[in-house]
Amino acid sequence: MLKKFIISNYRSFYNEAVLDLTVHDNISNNNCYIKKINDNEYISKLCLLYGYNGSGKSNLINALKYIFYSNNGYISSSDDSIKKLLDPNMIYSKNDNSRFLLEFYSYDESILYLYELVLDNQNKKIYSEKLIKNNDTIVFERELNFIKEGIFNYNKYIPDTNTFLSFINDSSNDEMSEEYREEINYYISLFKNLCFLFPFTNEADFSSYAIVEAFDYFNKYNIWDTYKELLSFIDIDDLNIEDSISKNEFSFIIDNKRLISKHDIYKNDFDEAESEGSKVYAINLIYILVSIINGTVSIVDEFNGVQSELLEFVINLFGKAFIKDMQKDTSQLILSTHDITLMSIDNTMLHNYFLINKENNISRIYRTDHFDNLNINTLENEYRKNRFGLLRKRIYFNN
């Protein structure tokens, strides 16, 4: 489970900003959006990010995604993701280093890991990188292009924009010692099992491709019917993949397959039949279901065009055992949204809601339970009044 994400000097973020999912209050263990870890720590399963357009929500979401992609074990993904992270705050510190830090628990919930990545923006390369477990054991510590400390006895050159794990795992890298292969795969699996990211975009125009790609995965876990049941909430009566020969007859075809959506007796290509909002819902639902089944983090940057009641239902999936005998209680949802009606979801508390505000071209993250004179019953009303547009002036911030 993700415990904390720290970011500094990336796009609109300059000063260190912290997304802390630790629950500090004395709260009942029965709360459906809280997971107890190691008998002494509580972590939120739900993080709803609010902020006005341009406040930095997408910057935070993307940074978090790129960190996971950069450590998925492939050089190409690592190189591309690091280059996207080499994007400092151009107003205050275009030549200063950027820093990203993850704190997370292993999938068996027994070990706390800290992963830190520091980027040299001036020279466009990784400056340092380290992975530590249980606050004292250094898995590896890298400085520039070499490992200087840790359990990996690796003394070869590491490319400027490759994370250590992705570089050493790549099949083209014959320098990787067999004795470390199993251990390296374990550490890569930590990132993969923390956040499952399909290798496709979440743009609505690619929804058919995404669904076809997910089809075999859903059948493997016997949840294709569950996926179709959730699509019925947007009046899709049935969804099937059919064989097709002609590439000119249909709007979408891959490997001689096409995706067919059915409404009552009418059926057509999914991309032709469905609205943009339905496509966004269908594709993001893939991320949601994978997260719920595997107990991972699902990171979604807005559900544009989807009604509030449907969004609330999707969020509730993280707190209820909708998929019986398969759902894992370590699943987490990080969702950026403008829908303030979600502030009144049953069983949510202030620590589930975060505000991102930008002042003087610097984005900052605020957790709503850190505000004085604010409670869950007044959160939506206070936000409607725009009082959070002047955070420090109108509400005392108890830091």
Side-chain angles (χ1 to χ4, degrees), residues 238-256:
D238 200 6
L239 187 69
N240 289 296
I241 295 176
E242 298 181 357
D243 292 330
S244 180
I245 302 300
S246 174
K247 293 186 178 182
N248 298 321
E249 185 179 354
F250 308 108
S251 61
F252 169 83
I253 185 169
I254 180 173
D255 296 331
N256 293 324

Side-chain angles (χ1 to χ4, degrees), residues 5 34 48-50 70 90 100 115 142 160 180 195 280 306 334 343 347 355 372 381:
F5 180 52
I34 295 176
L48 299 182
L49 298 168
Y50 286 86
S70 69
M90 299 302 291
F100 309 90
Y115 175 76
R142 166 191 184 172
D160 289 340
Y180 292 132
C195 181
V280 169
V306 178
I334 297 176
M343 290 180 173
N347 297 314
L355 306 176
D372 197 21
N381 188 48

Side-chain angles (χ1 to χ4, degrees), residues 66-99:
Y66 295 148
I67 291 295
F68 289 120
Y69 275 126
S70 69
N71 284 283
N72 67 2
Y74 303 102
I75 282 182
S76 57
S77 295
S78 177
D79 184 75
D80 182 60
S81 297
I82 294 300
K83 287 177 179 177
K84 290 178 179 177
L85 288 171
L86 285 163
D87 193 359
N89 186 296
M90 299 302 291
I91 296 176
Y92 295 98
S93 53
K94 62 181 180 180
N95 292 323
D96 292 347
N97 290 348
S98 299
R99 178 175 177 263

Side-chain angles (χ1 to χ4, degrees), residues 385-397:
K385 292 179 180 178
N386 195 26
R387 292 189 180 183
F388 297 122
L390 299 171
L391 287 166
R392 291 189 299 275
K393 295 179 181 179
R394 300 186 64 175
I395 295 182
Y396 175 71
F397 184 67

Side-chain angles (χ1 to χ4, degrees), residues 1 82 107 137 141 159-160 175 181 263 298 328 351 392:
M1 291 190 79
I82 294 300
Y107 37 81
T137 303
E141 184 171 358
D160 289 340
E175 298 292 337
R181 180 173 295 276
H263 294 261
S298 182
K328 295 183 179 178
H351 59 252
R392 291 189 299 275

